[in-house]
């Protein structure tokens, strides 16, 4: 069974940083593109970033470029999102998701909440 | 940037009746490779997000055949042939032809 477990969220001050993690199991992690999607409270979904199987190709939504970094460790079956220079508008539940050859997110984590507030 | 506009934003439906959600793109979603990367997801309260449909009309594993997708180019539709209580939630279209974008979501509720 495919499982994605998100962690690392919390309360952080504006300008602060966090490292979000996603632990994957139940599939061959190194064969899949992976991504992060976020959802602000009471709002819809917003794609944040994607990374290829090998970790050498990254894609970002414009609003996080230069502040967020997606990475992975295939030996540890783990996906990461380093979030820096956080702003109030980054407050959201962050979900990791497994991408597919059909470019659809087939499996999702339960999400981890990031609150940016002073 | 691609904008996906879903209608309606809220859809009260009677149990056993059909439901339909539209997703319109600001640009064609046909990729240069001929594929159209338009998918539909379901978000139910307390449940993980769930992929329903990929590449316009392909049902994902385990998705009941009550759910169907159709469309082409810029106009797409998700249909539920007979709504069940378990279908209550928010439905999103997502395009992955030009980067990735989600529609704003359609809340399905029972009358």
């Amino acid at each position: 069974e495919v499982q994605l477990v998100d962690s690392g969220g919390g309360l952080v001050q504006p300008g602060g940083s966090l490292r979000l993690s996603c632990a994957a199991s139940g599939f061959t992690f190194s064969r899949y593109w992976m991504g992060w999607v976020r959802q602000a409270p009471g709002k819809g979904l917003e794609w944040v970033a994607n990374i290829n199987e090998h970790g050498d190709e990254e894609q970002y939504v414009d609003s996080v470029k230069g502040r967020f970094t997606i990475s992975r460790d295939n030996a540890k079956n783990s996906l990461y999102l380093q979030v820096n220079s956080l702003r109030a508008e980054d407050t959201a539940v962050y979900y990791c998701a497994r991408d597919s050859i059909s470019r659809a997110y087939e499996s999702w984590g339960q999400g981890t909440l990031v609150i940016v507030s002073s | 940037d691609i904008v996906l506009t879903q209608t309606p934003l809220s859809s009260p439906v009677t149990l056993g009746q059909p439901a339909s959600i539209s997703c319109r793109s600001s640009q064609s979603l046909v990729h240069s490779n001929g594929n159209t990367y338009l998918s539909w997801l379901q978000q139910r309260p307390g449940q993980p997000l769930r992929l329903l449909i990929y590449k316009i009309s392909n049902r994902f594993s385990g998705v009941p055949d009550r759910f169907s997708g159709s469309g082409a180019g810029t106009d797409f539709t998700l249909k539920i042939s007979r709504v069940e209580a378990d279908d209550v939630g928010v439905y999103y279209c997502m395009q992955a032809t030009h980067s990735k974008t989600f529609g704003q979501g359609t809340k399905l509720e029972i009358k």
Side-chain angles (χ1 to χ4, degrees):
Chain A
E1 179 193 2
V2 173
Q3 275 208 317
L4 298 172
V5 179
D6 304 318
S7 62
L11 174 62
V12 60
Q13 292 190 338
S17 298
L18 282 173
R19 189 194 198 200
L20 309 183
S21 298
C22 171
S25 61
F27 65 102
T28 306
F29 181 72
S30 60
R31 292 184 180 174
Y32 289 87
W33 280 71
M34 298 292 295
W36 289 97
V37 173
R38 68 183 177 182
Q39 186 170 34
K43 302 295 184 183
L45 301 172
E46 179 185 32
W47 173 71
V48 173
N50 245 38
I51 189 167
N52 72 346
E53 303 94 326
H54 313 293
D56 56 5
E57 182 178 346
E58 302 162 29
Q59 302 165 345
Y60 299 94
V61 68
D62 285 348
S63 60
V64 309
K65 282 179 182 174
R67 301 188 300 124
F68 290 11
T69 303
I70 189 172
S71 63
R72 64 192 297 159
D73 185 336
N74 286 344
K76 295 183 177 179
N77 291 336
S78 292
L79 177 72
Y80 306 103
L81 186 68
Q82 179 68 39
V83 296
N84 298 331
S85 303
L86 283 163
R87 307 166 181 168
E89 55 265 35
D90 296 318
T91 294
V93 175
Y94 286 74
Y95 299 98
C96 75
R98 189 183 85 175
D99 210 338
S100 69
I101 196 166
S102 301
R103 300 194 187 186
Y105 285 129
E106 295 179 330
S107 300
W108 294 73
Q110 84 287 358
T112 187
L113 176 61
V114 173
I115 300 173
V116 184
S117 175
S118 54
Chain B
D1 291 359
I2 301 283
V3 175
L4 297 181
T5 302
Q6 290 184 226
T7 54
L9 295 183
S10 178
S11 180
V13 182
T14 302
L15 287 174
Q17 293 300 302
S20 180
I21 300 169
S22 169
C23 176
R24 179 164 290 178
S25 174
S26 59
Q27 296 178 37
S28 172
L29 297 183
V30 180
H31 193 276
S32 56
N33 64 14
N35 288 309
T36 301
Y37 298 109
L38 188 284
S39 58
W40 290 93
L41 298 126
Q42 177 193 57
Q43 186 173 40
R44 291 180 293 183
Q47 299 290 319
L49 279 145
R50 179 191 184 193
L51 176 65
L52 297 174
I53 302 285
Y54 63 94
K55 287 204 296 183
I56 302 177
S57 59
N58 296 275
R59 266 188 304 277
F60 187 57
S61 175
V63 175
D65 59 7
R66 301 184 292 105
F67 292 90
S68 64
S70 63
T74 60
D75 289 298
F76 306 91
T77 302
L78 174 71
K79 291 183 179 176
I80 309 172
S81 58
R82 297 172 307 281
V83 169
E84 298 182 359
D86 208 33
D87 299 334
V88 166
V90 182
Y91 292 78
Y92 294 92
C93 57
M94 188 193 90
Q95 70 80 23
T97 296
H98 311 284
S99 187
K100 290 186 191 295
T101 315
F102 290 92
Q104 69 268 57
T106 294
K107 187 174 185 178
L108 184 75
E109 50 198 4
I110 305 300
K111 274 184 190 174

